[in-house]
């Protein structure tokens, strides 16, 4: 794609990156076939190629974002399926993230939109506040049908997505060190890792972190949870709130760096992340802070240590399953897993080795509609994608659904009665841990 940025514009590092990305696009349109919003809506401007044209024009002209750009970029799920499909290697993720930051800086949204986005950005990353909010939403949940189209259907979506039961806080939901269990015949610790507890996941499904800690410590891994580590920053980042996102990123970099040998700590073999949406962001920390001389090297080192829990579990050579057998699992590969982190088949391989019969979901490349806060901000499109995903899953007639992202669990679980659990919960169960509560 030909671009026409001035030399003065290209002096801005963000514009320079955007220019390189735009110039790598060859207009082929392969991305349209796998873009969920284009598949549903059939509008070129709701495809990656169409959004690229809008972003190019907006940035080249150096103008504020307008209603058209905001509407179509807001509809993007950032599922990154286009990046998997693209034969030219267009890094759409960095381009659309920059566009969202530009929108946040230059466009004044209607007051209700600004209020809702500020609420989500300040509520979801704070587990204590989020838990209180869910307790209130649980009481109001029966009133969801009465909300109708208030706030564009967003109020109804928020109430409908609220869990019927708010789990109590786990005893393991705390900073500290969880020692490795070593065998009685003089076994040694195999590794030392940091675990990202996350934010929303700690409240919605604390059993995921519990299962992760049990699985790792049972197989000789020491798990450390630094007190200063918190939200990965992705929620704010994908809403264009760059300042908030970078503050969260820097706090995590500082916390994890202090645990590394280079930072004066006991050393880390990995930073384990069990929410694939968070993992995609943490693995991008080096890019996000590339222009910050105080953080760029540390951020790049932290990003290199980040591993999805299935990536790290694969290095442990888990024992053959001694527990569950004969259960058919429909494995839903979260977009952030298959498109963001390029982890394609490893979770299915681990589940198969653990004794489960694993089936791939038809149209598995299409998003379920969760996409961070997307199902709250774009509920109509998200609901259509969820229903399509559920139909494909139910066609397999599985006993249960497994996935590696809490957002997908909440989204898909709201549309089906089939139990849905995290992959790590099944791996924990198969190697000596308790049966997941959802399957009881």
């Amino acid at each position: 794609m030909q671009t026409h940025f001035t030399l003065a514009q290209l002096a801005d590092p963000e514009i320079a990156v955007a220019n390189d990305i735009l110039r790598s696009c060859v207009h082929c349109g392969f991305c349209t076939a796998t873009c969920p919003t284009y598949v549903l809506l059939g509008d070129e401007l709701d495809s990656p190629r169409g959004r690229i044209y809008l972003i190019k024009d907006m940035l080249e002209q150096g103008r504020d974002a307008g209603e058209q750009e905001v509407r179509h970029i807001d509809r993007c799920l950032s599922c990154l399926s286009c990046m998997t499909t693209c034969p030219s290697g267009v890094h759409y993720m960095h381009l659309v993230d920059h566009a969202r930051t530009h929108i946040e800086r230059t466009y004044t949204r209607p007051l209700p939109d600004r209020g809702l986005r500020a609420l989500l950005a300040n509520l979801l990353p704070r587990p204590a506040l989020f838990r209180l909010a869910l307790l209130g939403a649980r009481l109001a949940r029966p009133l969801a049908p009465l909300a109708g189209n208030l706030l564009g259907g967003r109020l109804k979506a928020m109430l409908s997505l609220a869990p019927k039961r708010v789990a109590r806080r786990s005893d393991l939901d705390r900073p500290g060190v969880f020692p490795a269990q070593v065998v009685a015949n003089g076994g040694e610790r195999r590794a030392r890792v940091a675990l990202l507890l996350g934010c929303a996941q700690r409240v919605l499904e604390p059993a995921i972190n519990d299962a992760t800690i049990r699985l790792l410590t049972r197989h000789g891994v020491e798990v450390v949870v630094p007190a200063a580590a918190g939200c990965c920053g992705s929620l704010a980042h994908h809403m264009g709130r760059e300042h908030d996102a970078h503050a969260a990123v820097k706090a995590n970099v500082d916390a994890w760096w202090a645990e590394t040998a280079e930072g004066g700590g006991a050393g880390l073999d990995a930073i384990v992340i069990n929410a694939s949406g968070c993992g995609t962001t943490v693995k991008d920390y080096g890019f996000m802070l590339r222009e910050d001389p105080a953080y760029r090297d540390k951020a790049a080192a932290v990003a290199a240590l980040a591993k999805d829990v299935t990536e790290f579990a694969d290095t442990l050579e888990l024992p053959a399953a001694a527990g569950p057998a004969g259960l058919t699992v429909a494995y839903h590969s979260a977009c952030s897993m298959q498109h963001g982190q390029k982890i394609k088949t490893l979770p299915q391989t681990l589940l198969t080795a653990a004794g489960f019969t694993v089936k791939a979901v038809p149209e598995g490349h299409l998003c379920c509609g969760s996409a961070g806060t997307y199902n709250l901000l774009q509920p109509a499109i998200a609901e259509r994608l969820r229903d399509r995903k559920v139909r494909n899953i139910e066609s397999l007639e599985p006993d249960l659904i497994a996935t590696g992202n809490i957002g997908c669990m909440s989204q898909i679980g709201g549309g089906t009665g089939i139990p849905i659990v995290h992959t790590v919960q099944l791996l924990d169960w198969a190697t000596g841990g308790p049966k997941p509560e959802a399957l009881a």
Side-chain angles (χ1 to χ4, degrees), residues 246 250 286-299:
H246 283 197
K250 289 178 181 179
F287 178 84
M288 292 172 70
L289 299 185
R290 70 196 182 282
E291 296 298 326
D292 190 323
Y295 276 91
R296 60 189 174 205
D297 292 339
K298 292 190 293 184

Side-chain angles (χ1 to χ4, degrees), residues 271-276 279 283 305-314 337 341 343 346-347 404 422:
I271 298 167
V272 173
I273 303 168
N274 55 20
S276 61
K283 289 181 177 182
L305 284 170
K307 290 186 181 295
D308 182 75
V309 65
T310 56
E311 288 182 291
F312 191 77
D314 187 48
M337 186 77 82
Q341 299 188 53
I343 301 174
L346 179 58
H422 195 286

Side-chain angles (χ1 to χ4, degrees), residues 246-271:
H246 283 197
V249 170
K250 289 178 181 179
N252 284 339
V253 169
D254 285 338
W256 290 328
W257 181 255
E259 296 293 337
T260 66
E262 296 86 347
L268 290 177
D269 295 291
I271 298 167

Side-chain angles (χ1 to χ4, degrees), residues 43 45-46 51 68-76:
D43 186 336
L45 294 181
D46 284 316
R51 293 184 181 107
Q68 183 184 48
E69 289 87 7
V70 173
R71 179 172 69 253
H72 294 291
I73 291 170
D74 278 358
R75 286 180 184 168
C76 174

Side-chain angles (χ1 to χ4, degrees), residues 117-258:
R117 285 171 172 267
L119 175 67
L120 295 174
N122 288 284
L123 183 66
L124 296 179
R126 293 171 170 81
L129 288 177
F130 185 43
R131 186 183 301 278
L132 288 175
L134 284 185
L135 289 171
R138 181 179 67 85
L139 297 176
R141 195 175 190 274
L143 303 178
L146 302 179
N149 201 40
L150 287 174
L151 296 176
R154 293 167 179 172
L155 179 59
K156 179 180 178 181
M158 285 191 287
L159 293 177
S160 299
L161 283 165
K164 296 178 181 178
R165 180 183 66 85
V166 180
R168 74 171 183 86
R169 183 175 177 180
S170 166
D171 294 336
L172 301 182
D173 183 15
R174 56 178 172 80
V177 177
F178 300 89
Q181 299 177 24
V182 293
V183 293
N185 62 354
E188 296 181 355
R189 187 184 75 188
R190 300 175 65 183
R192 184 175 190 266
V193 304
L195 174 65
L196 173 65
L197 291 183
C199 43
Q201 177 175 277
R202 295 165 66 178
V203 179
L204 291 169
E205 192 57 63
I208 296 172
N209 285 337
D210 290 358
T212 303
I213 292 171
R214 283 194 305 266
L215 178 72
L216 295 178
T217 56
R218 190 166 59 247
H219 291 91
V221 180
E222 181 177 284
V223 178
V224 58
V225 178
C231 176
C232 70
S234 61
L235 291 173
H237 182 58
H238 294 309
M239 285 194 280
R241 301 171 71 96
E242 184 178 51
H243 176 77
D244 293 345
H246 283 197
V249 170
K250 289 178 181 179
N252 284 339
V253 169
D254 285 338
W256 290 328
W257 181 255

Side-chain angles (χ1 to χ4, degrees), residues 7 46 50 57 94 136 161 180 183 229 311 388 395 401 409 414 425:
L7 290 177
D46 284 316
D57 183 68
H94 290 159
L161 283 165
V183 293
E311 288 182 291
R388 184 170 181 147
S395 72
I401 307 163
M409 291 174 65
Q425 291 177 278

